[in-house]
Amino acid sequence: MDEQLVKEIVEDLKLRAERSKTPVPVGISNRHVHFTKEDFKAVFGADAEPVLFRQLRQPGFYAANEQVTIQGPQVAIKNVRMIGPYRTYTQVEVSLGDARALGLEPPIRDSGKLENSPGIRITGPKGSIDISRGVILSKRHIHFTPKDAEFLKIQDGTEVRVRCGAGDRTTVFERVLCRVSEKFALELHLDVEEANAAGLKNGDSAWIV
Amino acid sequence: MDEQLVKEIVEDLKLRAERSKTPVPVGISNRHVHFTKEDFKAVFGADAEPVLFRQLRQPGFYAANEQVTIQGPQVAIKNVRMIGPYRTYTQVEVSLGDARALGLEPPIRDSGKLENSPGIRITGPKGSIDISRGVILSKRHIHFTPKDAEFLKIQDGTEVRVRCGAGDRTTVFERVLCRVSEKFALELHLDVEEANAAGLKNGDSAWIV
C-alpha cells in the first residue's frame, strides 16, 4: 500500500471526525428584504427608521417591524419582513416556491452578489420602488467566527457537506458555503423549504461531515 | 487485515457503484387527496366520477380534475387536487409548510398508515366531510418493479440514501423507503419542499448511493 495515501486518508478521516463533533446551530430564513437607507425611506417615509422586532443570532442583525409587499409578474406576496440594519444594496431573498409563485427565476447567490438577478416591485405604506435587480435564492451557508473556523480547519469561501435533520427526514446538504468574519456567530443558514425538507426547527443542530 | 471484512467492504462498494449507475426519475408530489368512493361522492355528488386530468408515471394513477378545499384549525387551502383512482381510505398529503399553515402536526408516514394522524375538513362543490384521521406528510420513497429491485438488490421495506439535485443544491436524502410491487414504475417520490430544497424538477434523475 501507498503509505502517503493511507496517511492522507487517515488525516482526512480524523479531520471529519473532529468537525462532526461540533454542532452547528441552524437558523431558518423566511423570505425577507434588506434595504438601503434610501430605498427604505422611499417605501416607509422620509422620517421612518427601522424598529427592532426580534434580535437574530448574527450580532447586530435583527428582524424589523417593517413589512412590505413584493409584486412579481404573476402574484404579490404580502408581509415580507425587513432584516436590519441598512445595507449598501437592496436585496429580496425568497424560496424557490416563492419564486415560482411570483413568476421569477432568481439565481442561487451569496448575499450581495446581485449581477443578472431579476428585479421586483416593493411596496410599503408610503410608496413603491421598482428595483432592477436584487431578487435571489440564498445559497446555503455557514457563518463562522475566525476562532470557530480555525478550530474546524475551515477557510472562508470553501464549501462543505452538512448532515442535519432527524429520523425520517435526515438529510445531507452538499455545497454549503463557508463564510468567516469577526462579525459572525456560528450558524447554518437555510431557507424554509430546505429546513422543512430536513424537518428542522430554528436552533436545531447540524454537523459538518 | 481481516480478509472477510475487506471482502465485505469491497462487495458493498461494488453494490453501491452498481446502484449509482442507474438513474431514478424524480416525481414531485404537490399537496393532494386520495378518496374512498363514499367520501368522493359526499363532496362531489352521488352521480360524480373522477375525471382524468393528467396521467402519472405510476401505472393507473392519475391527477383528477376534481379539487377540494382542506380546512385546518388555522387556515384553509384551496384547489387541492384529487389523485385517482379511489382507495380504501381517504388520505390528505401535505408538505410541512402546509401543515404549519393549517395548524396541524401530521406524522411522516408511508401511504395508508393513518393511525393517530390528525383529521381535517374536506369541502367540494356538493358537500363537506370531516375525516377523523388521514392527514400525513408523505415519507420519502422509491417505487420499484420487482425487476428493478432485483437488479439493484433492493428489498421491499428497506431504506436507502439518495443523491439528487445539481450544483448549489446537491442533496442527499437519507431514510428513503423502498417499495416494491408489480404495479409500480421506478420513481422517487418527494414533496414540493424536498424537491425545491434540492432544486429538482419532475423527471430529473436521482441516484441511490
Side-chain angles (χ1 to χ4, degrees):
Chain A
M1 285 214 193
D2 178 335
E3 265 185 49
Q4 182 58 28
L5 180 64
V6 170
K7 198 180 157 194
E8 280 170 20
I9 290 169
V10 169
E11 286 302 312
D12 186 61
L13 289 172
K14 276 165 66 181
L15 172 60
R16 286 172 190 278
E18 198 56 47
R19 281 179 177 169
S20 68
K21 280 182 209 159
T22 302
V24 178
V26 175
I28 304 170
S29 301
N30 203 345
R31 63 183 79 99
H32 63 273
V33 180
H34 299 284
F35 277 110
T36 63
K37 186 169 183 173
E38 184 188 0
D39 286 345
F40 179 85
K41 302 281 184 183
V43 301
F44 289 103
D47 298 333
E49 284 295 335
V51 174
L52 175 78
F53 171 72
R54 187 170 60 85
Q55 202 68 53
L56 301 182
R57 186 174 159 86
Q58 295 306 309
F61 285 45
Y62 60 95
N65 274 343
E66 284 69 22
Q67 298 181 51
V68 293
T69 295
I70 55 175
Q71 171 74 56
Q74 283 177 10
V75 304
I77 300 179
K78 293 179 183 180
N79 305 321
V80 181
R81 201 175 281 283
M82 175 191 180
I83 302 294
Y86 295 132
R87 294 208 176 175
T88 56
Y89 49 85
T90 292
Q91 176 174 292
V92 178
E93 296 178 44
V94 297
S95 72
L96 182 52
D98 290 340
R100 293 219 175 103
L102 290 164
L104 295 175
E105 293 189 18
I108 298 168
R109 291 283 172 79
D110 186 18
S111 212
K113 306 272 168 61
L114 305 180
E115 308 75 42
N116 300 315
S117 61
I120 201 163
R121 169 163 289 199
I122 304 174
T123 301
K126 296 294 172 68
S128 288
I129 56 171
D130 289 297
I131 58 172
S132 60
R133 62 179 202 172
V135 183
I136 62 168
L137 311 179
S138 176
K139 181 165 168 67
R140 306 160 177 166
H141 60 276
I142 304 176
H143 293 264
F144 295 87
T145 65
K147 198 178 158 189
D148 294 326
E150 190 187 351
F151 178 72
L152 294 166
K153 296 194 171 65
I154 294 288
Q155 254 115 48
D156 185 58
T158 55
E159 294 185 346
V160 294
R161 300 164 74 240
V162 173
R163 193 157 184 267
C164 52
D168 289 319
R169 294 220 160 171
T170 306
T171 300
V172 177
F173 291 118
E174 304 193 358
R175 307 283 308 268
V176 180
L177 178 66
C178 297
R179 294 170 58 194
V180 182
S181 166
E182 290 284 0
K183 297 175 183 169
F184 291 159
L186 185 66
E187 190 174 36
L188 167 65
H189 279 188
L190 299 173
D191 74 16
V192 169
E193 290 177 325
E194 290 168 328
N196 284 352
L200 292 165
K201 299 186 306 296
N202 260 314
D204 282 353
S205 293
W207 288 268
I208 301 170
V209 291
Chain B
M1 284 211 193
D2 178 334
E3 265 186 47
Q4 182 58 29
L5 180 64
V6 170
K7 195 178 158 195
E8 280 171 20
I9 290 171
V10 169
E11 286 303 312
D12 186 62
L13 289 173
K14 276 165 64 179
L15 173 59
R16 286 172 190 278
E18 198 55 48
R19 281 178 176 169
S20 68
K21 279 181 211 161
T22 301
V24 178
V26 174
I28 304 170
S29 301
N30 202 346
R31 61 183 79 98
H32 63 272
V33 180
H34 300 284
F35 277 108
T36 63
K37 186 169 184 172
E38 186 188 359
D39 285 345
F40 178 86
K41 302 279 185 186
V43 301
F44 290 102
D47 298 333
E49 283 296 336
V51 174
L52 174 78
F53 171 72
R54 186 170 60 85
Q55 202 68 54
L56 301 182
R57 186 173 159 87
Q58 296 306 310
F61 284 46
Y62 59 96
N65 275 342
E66 284 69 24
Q67 298 181 52
V68 294
T69 295
I70 55 175
Q71 171 75 56
Q74 283 177 9
V75 303
I77 299 179
K78 294 180 182 179
N79 305 320
V80 181
R81 201 174 280 283
M82 174 191 181
I83 302 294
Y86 295 132
R87 294 209 174 173
T88 56
Y89 50 86
T90 292
Q91 175 174 292
V92 179
E93 295 179 44
V94 296
S95 72
L96 182 51
D98 290 339
R100 293 218 173 104
L102 290 164
L104 295 175
E105 293 189 19
I108 298 168
R109 291 282 173 78
D110 186 19
S111 212
K113 306 271 169 61
L114 305 180
E115 309 77 40
N116 301 313
S117 60
I120 201 162
R121 169 163 289 200
I122 303 174
T123 303
K126 295 295 173 69
S128 288
I129 56 170
D130 289 297
I131 58 171
S132 61
R133 63 177 200 171
V135 183
I136 62 168
L137 310 180
S138 176
K139 183 167 166 68
R140 304 160 179 167
H141 59 277
I142 303 177
H143 293 264
F144 296 87
T145 65
K147 198 177 159 189
D148 294 326
E150 191 187 352
F151 178 72
L152 294 167
K153 296 193 169 63
I154 295 287
Q155 254 114 48
D156 185 57
T158 56
E159 294 184 346
V160 293
R161 300 164 75 239
V162 173
R163 191 156 184 266
C164 53
D168 289 320
R169 294 218 160 172
T170 306
T171 300
V172 177
F173 292 118
E174 303 193 358
R175 306 284 308 269
V176 180
L177 179 66
C178 297
R179 295 170 58 195
V180 182
S181 167
E182 290 284 1
K183 297 176 182 168
F184 291 160
L186 184 64
E187 190 174 36
L188 167 65
H189 279 187
L190 299 174
D191 74 15
V192 170
E193 291 178 324
E194 290 168 329
N196 284 353
L200 292 164
K201 299 186 305 296
N202 259 314
D204 282 353
S205 293
W207 287 268
I208 300 170
V209 292

